[in-house]
Amino acid sequence: MSFTSQHLLGIEPLRQEAITEILDLANAYVEQNRKSERPDPTLGGLTQINMFFENSTRTQASFELAGKRLGAVVMNMAMQASSIKKGETLIDTALTLNAMHPDLLVVRHPQSGAVDLLAQKVNCAVLNAGDGRHEHPTQALLDALTIMRAKGRLHRLNIAICGDIVHSRVARSNLILLGKMENRVRLVGPATLMPPDVAELGVEVYHDMEEGLRDVDVVMMLRLQKERMDGGFIPSEREYYHRYGLDRAKLGFAKSDAIVMHPGPMNRGVEIDGEIADDINRSVIQEQVEMGVGVRMAAMHLLARNMQNQKGVMA
């Protein structure tokens, strides 16, 4: 047992051994999910509540499917129509939920730190499904599993993360995880989309795609998060695609067997050319979606195990 946490709030607190334990179990679940019959009562009798304060398709559906495949009773709360809209505080919402005695709480929130605050107020396991610009731990884990299965390893790889770094919790979680697993990480994008503390992140920074993608094993593109932009971060989408959108010519600077990733949703013709996104020889974007279910199953399985162990200790 390496992963002993009560919650999964971010990658930062995890040791390399804990990451490996999650990925190994997730890998087993991926194989199990590919079978026609896949009964698994691991979360039987447990209740999972999904609270998404931001819109989501992939992540919410993935968590819901993961919980149901493990036998949990899954409830999706429509936060857009919740008491939060009537003025209820996040803490009051947490206390209300706590009174319902859930076992697993999956939360996505637009404010960094909100999920951590909830975790301090409830008596159940909390999973961070993305909080502001802070972290998105299960996305980084599914990206890591995708890389591991495609490349046969998850260490000593050259990985380029490209695009809107400053607004991306996906980039932050991946930076932390890939660094812990001893990879060489590059950030590629315009200076306006780099975080102000980029010099302290222990990565290489490039503002030119040709130099940034040269001889890399993995090209991870990011969504241009226009909803988080309140100023002139880019001159235009057309100019952005010309300089930083991934097309066949730019991909040619990476290794010939480099894989292409994107967390979705994609803006085709802005961050990535549709031909590249659909290239079954280079793109692993659909594999990322598949890995997401396995990773979330593994995370909830391990948190339920830790919860049961904690109850045993207290008893």
PDB file of all heavy atoms in Angstrom, residues 3 11 14 16-30 137-149 153-154 177-178 181 291 294-295 298-299 302:
ATOM      1  N   PHE A   3      -0.467   4.235  -1.789  1.00  0.00           N
ATOM      2  CA  PHE A   3      -1.435   5.329  -1.804  1.00  0.00           C
ATOM      3  C   PHE A   3      -2.325   5.184  -0.573  1.00  0.00           C
ATOM      4  O   PHE A   3      -3.210   4.339  -0.512  1.00  0.00           O
ATOM      5  CB  PHE A   3      -2.278   5.284  -3.078  1.00  0.00           C
ATOM      6  CG  PHE A   3      -3.324   6.367  -3.149  1.00  0.00           C
ATOM      7  CD1 PHE A   3      -2.961   7.693  -3.329  1.00  0.00           C
ATOM      8  CD2 PHE A   3      -4.671   6.053  -3.024  1.00  0.00           C
ATOM      9  CE1 PHE A   3      -3.931   8.695  -3.380  1.00  0.00           C
ATOM     10  CE2 PHE A   3      -5.647   7.045  -3.086  1.00  0.00           C
ATOM     11  CZ  PHE A   3      -5.281   8.368  -3.254  1.00  0.00           C
ATOM     12  N   ILE A  11      -1.930  16.089  -7.460  1.00  0.00           N
ATOM     13  CA  ILE A  11      -0.771  15.227  -7.670  1.00  0.00           C
ATOM     14  C   ILE A  11       0.371  15.594  -6.720  1.00  0.00           C
ATOM     15  O   ILE A  11       1.161  14.755  -6.319  1.00  0.00           O
ATOM     16  CB  ILE A  11      -0.282  15.331  -9.134  1.00  0.00           C
ATOM     17  CG1 ILE A  11      -1.381  14.865 -10.098  1.00  0.00           C
ATOM     18  CG2 ILE A  11       0.993  14.525  -9.358  1.00  0.00           C
ATOM     19  CD1 ILE A  11      -1.781  13.411  -9.953  1.00  0.00           C
ATOM     20  N   LEU A  14       1.480  13.411  -3.769  1.00  0.00           N
ATOM     21  CA  LEU A  14       1.694  11.991  -4.028  1.00  0.00           C
ATOM     22  C   LEU A  14       3.164  11.667  -4.256  1.00  0.00           C
ATOM     23  O   LEU A  14       3.866  12.370  -4.976  1.00  0.00           O
ATOM     24  CB  LEU A  14       0.890  11.543  -5.249  1.00  0.00           C
ATOM     25  CG  LEU A  14      -0.630  11.720  -5.192  1.00  0.00           C
ATOM     26  CD1 LEU A  14      -1.261  11.154  -6.459  1.00  0.00           C
ATOM     27  CD2 LEU A  14      -1.223  11.067  -3.959  1.00  0.00           C
ATOM     28  N   GLN A  16       6.075   8.965  -5.757  1.00  0.00           N
ATOM     29  CA  GLN A  16       6.179   8.195  -6.990  1.00  0.00           C
ATOM     30  C   GLN A  16       5.524   6.824  -6.834  1.00  0.00           C
ATOM     31  O   GLN A  16       4.841   6.337  -7.738  1.00  0.00           O
ATOM     32  CB  GLN A  16       7.652   8.051  -7.379  1.00  0.00           C
ATOM     33  CG  GLN A  16       7.879   7.418  -8.728  1.00  0.00           C
ATOM     34  CD  GLN A  16       9.353   7.275  -9.074  1.00  0.00           C
ATOM     35  OE1 GLN A  16       9.961   6.245  -8.766  1.00  0.00           O
ATOM     36  NE2 GLN A  16       9.928   8.299  -9.677  1.00  0.00           N
ATOM     37  N   GLU A  17       5.709   6.198  -5.668  1.00  0.00           N
ATOM     38  CA  GLU A  17       5.152   4.868  -5.437  1.00  0.00           C
ATOM     39  C   GLU A  17       3.626   4.890  -5.433  1.00  0.00           C
ATOM     40  O   GLU A  17       2.987   3.939  -5.897  1.00  0.00           O
ATOM     41  CB  GLU A  17       5.666   4.308  -4.105  1.00  0.00           C
ATOM     42  CG  GLU A  17       7.168   4.075  -4.044  1.00  0.00           C
ATOM     43  CD  GLU A  17       7.960   5.358  -3.802  1.00  0.00           C
ATOM     44  OE1 GLU A  17       7.347   6.403  -3.492  1.00  0.00           O
ATOM     45  OE2 GLU A  17       9.198   5.317  -3.920  1.00  0.00           O
ATOM     46  N   ALA A  18       3.040   5.971  -4.911  1.00  0.00           N
ATOM     47  CA  ALA A  18       1.580   6.081  -4.892  1.00  0.00           C
ATOM     48  C   ALA A  18       1.034   6.247  -6.308  1.00  0.00           C
ATOM     49  O   ALA A  18       0.001   5.663  -6.664  1.00  0.00           O
ATOM     50  CB  ALA A  18       1.154   7.257  -4.019  1.00  0.00           C
ATOM     51  N   ILE A  19       1.715   7.036  -7.112  1.00  0.00           N
ATOM     52  CA  ILE A  19       1.312   7.215  -8.508  1.00  0.00           C
ATOM     53  C   ILE A  19       1.349   5.876  -9.234  1.00  0.00           C
ATOM     54  O   ILE A  19       0.423   5.518  -9.972  1.00  0.00           O
ATOM     55  CB  ILE A  19       2.224   8.243  -9.204  1.00  0.00           C
ATOM     56  CG1 ILE A  19       2.009   9.636  -8.606  1.00  0.00           C
ATOM     57  CG2 ILE A  19       1.982   8.264 -10.710  1.00  0.00           C
ATOM     58  CD1 ILE A  19       3.024  10.663  -9.045  1.00  0.00           C
ATOM     59  N   THR A  20       2.413   5.117  -8.994  1.00  0.00           N
ATOM     60  CA  THR A  20       2.563   3.812  -9.640  1.00  0.00           C
ATOM     61  C   THR A  20       1.462   2.856  -9.222  1.00  0.00           C
ATOM     62  O   THR A  20       0.916   2.104 -10.052  1.00  0.00           O
ATOM     63  CB  THR A  20       3.937   3.212  -9.307  1.00  0.00           C
ATOM     64  OG1 THR A  20       4.972   4.083  -9.791  1.00  0.00           O
ATOM     65  CG2 THR A  20       4.106   1.841  -9.935  1.00  0.00           C
ATOM     66  N   GLU A  21       1.085   2.878  -7.936  1.00  0.00           N
ATOM     67  CA  GLU A  21       0.009   1.995  -7.469  1.00  0.00           C
ATOM     68  C   GLU A  21      -1.311   2.317  -8.162  1.00  0.00           C
ATOM     69  O   GLU A  21      -2.037   1.418  -8.593  1.00  0.00           O
ATOM     70  CB  GLU A  21      -0.155   2.106  -5.951  1.00  0.00           C
ATOM     71  CG  GLU A  21      -1.230   1.164  -5.419  1.00  0.00           C
ATOM     72  CD  GLU A  21      -1.416   1.231  -3.915  1.00  0.00           C
ATOM     73  OE1 GLU A  21      -0.893   2.169  -3.281  1.00  0.00           O
ATOM     74  OE2 GLU A  21      -2.099   0.347  -3.371  1.00  0.00           O
ATOM     75  N   ILE A  22      -1.624   3.599  -8.279  1.00  0.00           N
ATOM     76  CA  ILE A  22      -2.860   3.994  -8.961  1.00  0.00           C
ATOM     77  C   ILE A  22      -2.834   3.557 -10.421  1.00  0.00           C
ATOM     78  O   ILE A  22      -3.804   2.998 -10.943  1.00  0.00           O
ATOM     79  CB  ILE A  22      -3.070   5.523  -8.870  1.00  0.00           C
ATOM     80  CG1 ILE A  22      -3.229   5.962  -7.419  1.00  0.00           C
ATOM     81  CG2 ILE A  22      -4.307   5.938  -9.677  1.00  0.00           C
ATOM     82  CD1 ILE A  22      -3.211   7.479  -7.238  1.00  0.00           C
ATOM     83  N   LEU A  23      -1.707   3.804 -11.099  1.00  0.00           N
ATOM     84  CA  LEU A  23      -1.618   3.475 -12.522  1.00  0.00           C
ATOM     85  C   LEU A  23      -1.673   1.977 -12.768  1.00  0.00           C
ATOM     86  O   LEU A  23      -2.277   1.522 -13.746  1.00  0.00           O
ATOM     87  CB  LEU A  23      -0.337   4.071 -13.114  1.00  0.00           C
ATOM     88  CG  LEU A  23      -0.258   5.592 -13.161  1.00  0.00           C
ATOM     89  CD1 LEU A  23       1.066   6.039 -13.774  1.00  0.00           C
ATOM     90  CD2 LEU A  23      -1.433   6.187 -13.933  1.00  0.00           C
ATOM     91  N   ASP A  24      -1.058   1.192 -11.898  1.00  0.00           N
ATOM     92  CA  ASP A  24      -1.082  -0.266 -12.071  1.00  0.00           C
ATOM     93  C   ASP A  24      -2.506  -0.802 -11.946  1.00  0.00           C
ATOM     94  O   ASP A  24      -2.938  -1.651 -12.735  1.00  0.00           O
ATOM     95  CB  ASP A  24      -0.166  -0.938 -11.043  1.00  0.00           C
ATOM     96  CG  ASP A  24       1.310  -0.777 -11.373  1.00  0.00           C
ATOM     97  OD1 ASP A  24       1.620  -0.369 -12.507  1.00  0.00           O
ATOM     98  OD2 ASP A  24       2.147  -1.044 -10.486  1.00  0.00           O
ATOM     99  N   LEU A  25      -3.245  -0.312 -10.953  1.00  0.00           N
ATOM    100  CA  LEU A  25      -4.622  -0.764 -10.789  1.00  0.00           C
ATOM    101  C   LEU A  25      -5.488  -0.257 -11.947  1.00  0.00           C
ATOM    102  O   LEU A  25      -6.338  -0.983 -12.472  1.00  0.00           O
ATOM    103  CB  LEU A  25      -5.178  -0.267  -9.455  1.00  0.00           C
ATOM    104  CG  LEU A  25      -6.628  -0.675  -9.135  1.00  0.00           C
ATOM    105  CD1 LEU A  25      -6.797  -2.190  -9.171  1.00  0.00           C
ATOM    106  CD2 LEU A  25      -7.054  -0.116  -7.778  1.00  0.00           C
ATOM    107  N   ALA A  26      -5.259   0.985 -12.372  1.00  0.00           N
ATOM    108  CA  ALA A  26      -6.008   1.541 -13.500  1.00  0.00           C
ATOM    109  C   ALA A  26      -5.764   0.721 -14.768  1.00  0.00           C
ATOM    110  O   ALA A  26      -6.698   0.471 -15.546  1.00  0.00           O
ATOM    111  CB  ALA A  26      -5.608   2.996 -13.737  1.00  0.00           C
ATOM    112  N   ASN A  27      -4.548   0.303 -14.971  1.00  0.00           N
ATOM    113  CA  ASN A  27      -4.212  -0.503 -16.142  1.00  0.00           C
ATOM    114  C   ASN A  27      -4.996  -1.819 -16.133  1.00  0.00           C
ATOM    115  O   ASN A  27      -5.499  -2.264 -17.173  1.00  0.00           O
ATOM    116  CB  ASN A  27      -2.705  -0.776 -16.166  1.00  0.00           C
ATOM    117  CG  ASN A  27      -2.223  -1.244 -17.520  1.00  0.00           C
ATOM    118  OD1 ASN A  27      -2.594  -0.687 -18.548  1.00  0.00           O
ATOM    119  ND2 ASN A  27      -1.390  -2.278 -17.524  1.00  0.00           N
ATOM    120  N   ALA A  28      -5.120  -2.415 -14.951  1.00  0.00           N
ATOM    121  CA  ALA A  28      -5.889  -3.657 -14.830  1.00  0.00           C
ATOM    122  C   ALA A  28      -7.365  -3.397 -15.125  1.00  0.00           C
ATOM    123  O   ALA A  28      -8.031  -4.216 -15.774  1.00  0.00           O
ATOM    124  CB  ALA A  28      -5.720  -4.237 -13.430  1.00  0.00           C
ATOM    125  N   TYR A  29      -7.875  -2.248 -14.682  1.00  0.00           N
ATOM    126  CA  TYR A  29      -9.277  -1.930 -14.944  1.00  0.00           C
ATOM    127  C   TYR A  29      -9.524  -1.664 -16.429  1.00  0.00           C
ATOM    128  O   TYR A  29     -10.590  -1.991 -16.960  1.00  0.00           O
ATOM    129  CB  TYR A  29      -9.723  -0.732 -14.107  1.00  0.00           C
ATOM    130  CG  TYR A  29     -10.227  -1.115 -12.734  1.00  0.00           C
ATOM    131  CD1 TYR A  29      -9.720  -0.506 -11.590  1.00  0.00           C
ATOM    132  CD2 TYR A  29     -11.209  -2.087 -12.587  1.00  0.00           C
ATOM    133  CE1 TYR A  29     -10.183  -0.863 -10.324  1.00  0.00           C
ATOM    134  CE2 TYR A  29     -11.677  -2.450 -11.329  1.00  0.00           C
ATOM    135  CZ  TYR A  29     -11.164  -1.834 -10.206  1.00  0.00           C
ATOM    136  OH  TYR A  29     -11.624  -2.194  -8.953  1.00  0.00           O
ATOM    137  N   VAL A  30      -8.551  -1.071 -17.122  1.00  0.00           N
ATOM    138  CA  VAL A  30      -8.692  -0.850 -18.565  1.00  0.00           C
ATOM    139  C   VAL A  30      -8.886  -2.185 -19.272  1.00  0.00           C
ATOM    140  O   VAL A  30      -9.766  -2.329 -20.143  1.00  0.00           O
ATOM    141  CB  VAL A  30      -7.466  -0.101 -19.129  1.00  0.00           C
ATOM    142  CG1 VAL A  30      -7.480  -0.118 -20.658  1.00  0.00           C
ATOM    143  CG2 VAL A  30      -7.438   1.336 -18.623  1.00  0.00           C
ATOM    144  N   PRO A 137      -6.091  16.235 -11.006  1.00  0.00           N
ATOM    145  CA  PRO A 137      -5.218  15.071 -10.814  1.00  0.00           C
ATOM    146  C   PRO A 137      -5.562  13.849 -11.653  1.00  0.00           C
ATOM    147  O   PRO A 137      -4.657  13.179 -12.163  1.00  0.00           O
ATOM    148  CB  PRO A 137      -5.346  14.773  -9.315  1.00  0.00           C
ATOM    149  CG  PRO A 137      -6.603  15.454  -8.881  1.00  0.00           C
ATOM    150  CD  PRO A 137      -6.733  16.660  -9.748  1.00  0.00           C
ATOM    151  N   THR A 138      -6.865  13.536 -11.807  1.00  0.00           N
ATOM    152  CA  THR A 138      -7.176  12.331 -12.575  1.00  0.00           C
ATOM    153  C   THR A 138      -6.869  12.500 -14.056  1.00  0.00           C
ATOM    154  O   THR A 138      -6.598  11.527 -14.751  1.00  0.00           O
ATOM    155  CB  THR A 138      -8.643  11.898 -12.383  1.00  0.00           C
ATOM    156  OG1 THR A 138      -9.526  12.975 -12.735  1.00  0.00           O
ATOM    157  CG2 THR A 138      -8.899  11.480 -10.939  1.00  0.00           C
ATOM    158  N   GLN A 139      -6.897  13.733 -14.564  1.00  0.00           N
ATOM    159  CA  GLN A 139      -6.503  13.965 -15.954  1.00  0.00           C
ATOM    160  C   GLN A 139      -5.018  13.680 -16.135  1.00  0.00           C
ATOM    161  O   GLN A 139      -4.613  13.033 -17.107  1.00  0.00           O
ATOM    162  CB  GLN A 139      -6.810  15.394 -16.376  1.00  0.00           C
ATOM    163  CG  GLN A 139      -6.413  15.722 -17.808  1.00  0.00           C
ATOM    164  CD  GLN A 139      -7.254  15.002 -18.852  1.00  0.00           C
ATOM    165  OE1 GLN A 139      -8.482  14.984 -18.752  1.00  0.00           O
ATOM    166  NE2 GLN A 139      -6.618  14.402 -19.860  1.00  0.00           N
ATOM    167  N   ALA A 140      -4.195  14.137 -15.202  1.00  0.00           N
ATOM    168  CA  ALA A 140      -2.755  13.864 -15.283  1.00  0.00           C
ATOM    169  C   ALA A 140      -2.481  12.369 -15.177  1.00  0.00           C
ATOM    170  O   ALA A 140      -1.606  11.832 -15.871  1.00  0.00           O
ATOM    171  CB  ALA A 140      -2.013  14.625 -14.188  1.00  0.00           C
ATOM    172  N   LEU A 141      -3.233  11.677 -14.325  1.00  0.00           N
ATOM    173  CA  LEU A 141      -3.039  10.232 -14.171  1.00  0.00           C
ATOM    174  C   LEU A 141      -3.442   9.481 -15.437  1.00  0.00           C
ATOM    175  O   LEU A 141      -2.760   8.553 -15.872  1.00  0.00           O
ATOM    176  CB  LEU A 141      -3.833   9.724 -12.972  1.00  0.00           C
ATOM    177  CG  LEU A 141      -3.267  10.119 -11.605  1.00  0.00           C
ATOM    178  CD1 LEU A 141      -4.317   9.962 -10.519  1.00  0.00           C
ATOM    179  CD2 LEU A 141      -2.026   9.288 -11.277  1.00  0.00           C
ATOM    180  N   LEU A 142      -4.544   9.882 -16.062  1.00  0.00           N
ATOM    181  CA  LEU A 142      -4.954   9.200 -17.292  1.00  0.00           C
ATOM    182  C   LEU A 142      -3.995   9.521 -18.428  1.00  0.00           C
ATOM    183  O   LEU A 142      -3.744   8.667 -19.296  1.00  0.00           O
ATOM    184  CB  LEU A 142      -6.407   9.535 -17.649  1.00  0.00           C
ATOM    185  CG  LEU A 142      -6.770  10.906 -18.212  1.00  0.00           C
ATOM    186  CD1 LEU A 142      -6.639  10.944 -19.731  1.00  0.00           C
ATOM    187  CD2 LEU A 142      -8.203  11.262 -17.832  1.00  0.00           C
ATOM    188  N   ASP A 143      -3.460  10.738 -18.440  1.00  0.00           N
ATOM    189  CA  ASP A 143      -2.446  11.074 -19.441  1.00  0.00           C
ATOM    190  C   ASP A 143      -1.198  10.216 -19.238  1.00  0.00           C
ATOM    191  O   ASP A 143      -0.603   9.723 -20.201  1.00  0.00           O
ATOM    192  CB  ASP A 143      -2.083  12.557 -19.351  1.00  0.00           C
ATOM    193  CG  ASP A 143      -3.191  13.471 -19.852  1.00  0.00           C
ATOM    194  OD1 ASP A 143      -4.087  12.986 -20.556  1.00  0.00           O
ATOM    195  OD2 ASP A 143      -3.165  14.672 -19.513  1.00  0.00           O
ATOM    196  N   ALA A 144      -0.817  10.041 -17.975  1.00  0.00           N
ATOM    197  CA  ALA A 144       0.360   9.226 -17.666  1.00  0.00           C
ATOM    198  C   ALA A 144       0.148   7.779 -18.087  1.00  0.00           C
ATOM    199  O   ALA A 144       1.054   7.135 -18.651  1.00  0.00           O
ATOM    200  CB  ALA A 144       0.661   9.308 -16.172  1.00  0.00           C
ATOM    201  N   LEU A 145      -1.053   7.243 -17.836  1.00  0.00           N
ATOM    202  CA  LEU A 145      -1.339   5.860 -18.230  1.00  0.00           C
ATOM    203  C   LEU A 145      -1.323   5.716 -19.749  1.00  0.00           C
ATOM    204  O   LEU A 145      -0.826   4.716 -20.288  1.00  0.00           O
ATOM    205  CB  LEU A 145      -2.690   5.433 -17.656  1.00  0.00           C
ATOM    206  CG  LEU A 145      -3.105   3.985 -17.920  1.00  0.00           C
ATOM    207  CD1 LEU A 145      -2.085   3.007 -17.347  1.00  0.00           C
ATOM    208  CD2 LEU A 145      -4.492   3.714 -17.334  1.00  0.00           C
ATOM    209  N   THR A 146      -1.843   6.715 -20.448  1.00  0.00           N
ATOM    210  CA  THR A 146      -1.828   6.702 -21.911  1.00  0.00           C
ATOM    211  C   THR A 146      -0.401   6.669 -22.437  1.00  0.00           C
ATOM    212  O   THR A 146      -0.070   5.896 -23.344  1.00  0.00           O
ATOM    213  CB  THR A 146      -2.568   7.933 -22.468  1.00  0.00           C
ATOM    214  OG1 THR A 146      -3.888   7.986 -21.935  1.00  0.00           O
ATOM    215  CG2 THR A 146      -2.633   7.887 -23.981  1.00  0.00           C
ATOM    216  N   ILE A 147       0.452   7.512 -21.868  1.00  0.00           N
ATOM    217  CA  ILE A 147       1.852   7.546 -22.278  1.00  0.00           C
ATOM    218  C   ILE A 147       2.535   6.217 -21.975  1.00  0.00           C
ATOM    219  O   ILE A 147       3.260   5.661 -22.815  1.00  0.00           O
ATOM    220  CB  ILE A 147       2.596   8.694 -21.569  1.00  0.00           C
ATOM    221  CG1 ILE A 147       2.049  10.054 -22.038  1.00  0.00           C
ATOM    222  CG2 ILE A 147       4.105   8.618 -21.831  1.00  0.00           C
ATOM    223  CD1 ILE A 147       2.536  11.231 -21.217  1.00  0.00           C
ATOM    224  N   MET A 148       2.294   5.694 -20.788  1.00  0.00           N
ATOM    225  CA  MET A 148       2.933   4.451 -20.371  1.00  0.00           C
ATOM    226  C   MET A 148       2.568   3.293 -21.298  1.00  0.00           C
ATOM    227  O   MET A 148       3.423   2.486 -21.689  1.00  0.00           O
ATOM    228  CB  MET A 148       2.534   4.122 -18.935  1.00  0.00           C
ATOM    229  CG  MET A 148       3.242   2.917 -18.337  1.00  0.00           C
ATOM    230  SD  MET A 148       2.822   2.696 -16.581  1.00  0.00           S
ATOM    231  CE  MET A 148       1.147   2.032 -16.749  1.00  0.00           C
ATOM    232  N   ARG A 149       1.313   3.218 -21.680  1.00  0.00           N
ATOM    233  CA  ARG A 149       0.877   2.122 -22.554  1.00  0.00           C
ATOM    234  C   ARG A 149       1.381   2.314 -23.980  1.00  0.00           C
ATOM    235  O   ARG A 149       1.693   1.340 -24.672  1.00  0.00           O
ATOM    236  CB  ARG A 149      -0.638   2.012 -22.528  1.00  0.00           C
ATOM    237  CG  ARG A 149      -1.187   1.455 -21.214  1.00  0.00           C
ATOM    238  CD  ARG A 149      -2.707   1.524 -21.176  1.00  0.00           C
ATOM    239  NE  ARG A 149      -3.332   0.670 -22.171  1.00  0.00           N
ATOM    240  CZ  ARG A 149      -3.844  -0.541 -21.941  1.00  0.00           C
ATOM    241  NH1 ARG A 149      -3.786  -1.060 -20.723  1.00  0.00           N
ATOM    242  NH2 ARG A 149      -4.416  -1.232 -22.907  1.00  0.00           N
ATOM    243  N   ARG A 153       6.848   2.850 -21.125  1.00  0.00           N
ATOM    244  CA  ARG A 153       7.476   3.342 -19.903  1.00  0.00           C
ATOM    245  C   ARG A 153       6.957   4.738 -19.597  1.00  0.00           C
ATOM    246  O   ARG A 153       6.322   5.362 -20.437  1.00  0.00           O
ATOM    247  CB  ARG A 153       9.003   3.373 -20.031  1.00  0.00           C
ATOM    248  CG  ARG A 153       9.538   4.413 -21.005  1.00  0.00           C
ATOM    249  CD  ARG A 153      11.054   4.285 -21.144  1.00  0.00           C
ATOM    250  NE  ARG A 153      11.682   5.443 -21.753  1.00  0.00           N
ATOM    251  CZ  ARG A 153      11.776   5.657 -23.059  1.00  0.00           C
ATOM    252  NH1 ARG A 153      11.259   4.771 -23.902  1.00  0.00           N
ATOM    253  NH2 ARG A 153      12.384   6.731 -23.524  1.00  0.00           N
ATOM    254  N   LEU A 154       7.255   5.199 -18.383  1.00  0.00           N
ATOM    255  CA  LEU A 154       6.825   6.530 -17.966  1.00  0.00           C
ATOM    256  C   LEU A 154       7.986   7.251 -17.284  1.00  0.00           C
ATOM    257  O   LEU A 154       7.832   7.898 -16.257  1.00  0.00           O
ATOM    258  CB  LEU A 154       5.616   6.438 -17.024  1.00  0.00           C
ATOM    259  CG  LEU A 154       4.913   7.753 -16.670  1.00  0.00           C
ATOM    260  CD1 LEU A 154       4.376   8.465 -17.898  1.00  0.00           C
ATOM    261  CD2 LEU A 154       3.799   7.521 -15.662  1.00  0.00           C
ATOM    262  N   LEU A 177       3.331  15.594 -12.118  1.00  0.00           N
ATOM    263  CA  LEU A 177       3.415  14.135 -12.230  1.00  0.00           C
ATOM    264  C   LEU A 177       4.594  13.700 -13.094  1.00  0.00           C
ATOM    265  O   LEU A 177       5.372  12.818 -12.707  1.00  0.00           O
ATOM    266  CB  LEU A 177       2.106  13.583 -12.788  1.00  0.00           C
ATOM    267  CG  LEU A 177       1.946  12.057 -12.756  1.00  0.00           C
ATOM    268  CD1 LEU A 177       0.467  11.672 -12.693  1.00  0.00           C
ATOM    269  CD2 LEU A 177       2.573  11.372 -13.967  1.00  0.00           C
ATOM    270  N   LEU A 178       4.717  14.310 -14.261  1.00  0.00           N
ATOM    271  CA  LEU A 178       5.796  13.904 -15.176  1.00  0.00           C
ATOM    272  C   LEU A 178       7.162  14.192 -14.582  1.00  0.00           C
ATOM    273  O   LEU A 178       8.124  13.452 -14.815  1.00  0.00           O
ATOM    274  CB  LEU A 178       5.618  14.596 -16.522  1.00  0.00           C
ATOM    275  CG  LEU A 178       4.349  14.194 -17.294  1.00  0.00           C
ATOM    276  CD1 LEU A 178       4.133  15.106 -18.483  1.00  0.00           C
ATOM    277  CD2 LEU A 178       4.427  12.734 -17.729  1.00  0.00           C
ATOM    278  N   MET A 181       8.039  11.497 -12.122  1.00  0.00           N
ATOM    279  CA  MET A 181       8.393  10.238 -12.782  1.00  0.00           C
ATOM    280  C   MET A 181       9.650  10.370 -13.640  1.00  0.00           C
ATOM    281  O   MET A 181       9.915   9.541 -14.507  1.00  0.00           O
ATOM    282  CB  MET A 181       7.212   9.753 -13.618  1.00  0.00           C
ATOM    283  CG  MET A 181       5.918   9.569 -12.815  1.00  0.00           C
ATOM    284  SD  MET A 181       6.068   8.541 -11.333  1.00  0.00           S
ATOM    285  CE  MET A 181       6.238   6.927 -12.085  1.00  0.00           C
ATOM    286  N   MET A 291      -8.709   5.605 -21.062  1.00  0.00           N
ATOM    287  CA  MET A 291      -7.898   5.498 -19.853  1.00  0.00           C
ATOM    288  C   MET A 291      -8.553   6.223 -18.680  1.00  0.00           C
ATOM    289  O   MET A 291      -8.388   5.842 -17.521  1.00  0.00           O
ATOM    290  CB  MET A 291      -6.499   6.078 -20.079  1.00  0.00           C
ATOM    291  CG  MET A 291      -5.656   5.371 -21.131  1.00  0.00           C
ATOM    292  SD  MET A 291      -5.454   3.610 -20.859  1.00  0.00           S
ATOM    293  CE  MET A 291      -6.347   2.968 -22.284  1.00  0.00           C
ATOM    294  N   GLY A 294     -10.719   3.918 -16.496  1.00  0.00           N
ATOM    295  CA  GLY A 294      -9.898   3.028 -15.683  1.00  0.00           C
ATOM    296  C   GLY A 294      -9.218   3.746 -14.524  1.00  0.00           C
ATOM    297  O   GLY A 294      -9.170   3.239 -13.398  1.00  0.00           O
ATOM    298  N   VAL A 295      -8.692   4.944 -14.788  1.00  0.00           N
ATOM    299  CA  VAL A 295      -8.018   5.714 -13.745  1.00  0.00           C
ATOM    300  C   VAL A 295      -8.996   6.109 -12.648  1.00  0.00           C
ATOM    301  O   VAL A 295      -8.689   6.020 -11.446  1.00  0.00           O
ATOM    302  CB  VAL A 295      -7.341   6.963 -14.357  1.00  0.00           C
ATOM    303  CG1 VAL A 295      -7.082   8.025 -13.289  1.00  0.00           C
ATOM    304  CG2 VAL A 295      -6.036   6.568 -15.028  1.00  0.00           C
ATOM    305  N   ALA A 298      -9.839   3.188 -10.513  1.00  0.00           N
ATOM    306  CA  ALA A 298      -8.739   2.878  -9.601  1.00  0.00           C
ATOM    307  C   ALA A 298      -8.689   3.850  -8.432  1.00  0.00           C
ATOM    308  O   ALA A 298      -8.502   3.450  -7.270  1.00  0.00           O
ATOM    309  CB  ALA A 298      -7.413   2.901 -10.364  1.00  0.00           C
ATOM    310  N   ALA A 299      -8.863   5.134  -8.719  1.00  0.00           N
ATOM    311  CA  ALA A 299      -8.800   6.142  -7.653  1.00  0.00           C
ATOM    312  C   ALA A 299      -9.896   5.917  -6.627  1.00  0.00           C
ATOM    313  O   ALA A 299      -9.655   5.962  -5.403  1.00  0.00           O
ATOM    314  CB  ALA A 299      -8.910   7.542  -8.258  1.00  0.00           C
ATOM    315  N   LEU A 302      -9.234   2.714  -4.507  1.00  0.00           N
ATOM    316  CA  LEU A 302      -8.197   2.884  -3.479  1.00  0.00           C
ATOM    317  C   LEU A 302      -8.668   3.795  -2.345  1.00  0.00           C
ATOM    318  O   LEU A 302      -8.343   3.560  -1.175  1.00  0.00           O
ATOM    319  CB  LEU A 302      -6.918   3.433  -4.116  1.00  0.00           C
ATOM    320  CG  LEU A 302      -6.236   2.481  -5.110  1.00  0.00           C
ATOM    321  CD1 LEU A 302      -5.050   3.162  -5.782  1.00  0.00           C
ATOM    322  CD2 LEU A 302      -5.789   1.192  -4.421  1.00  0.00           C
TER     323      LEU A 302
END
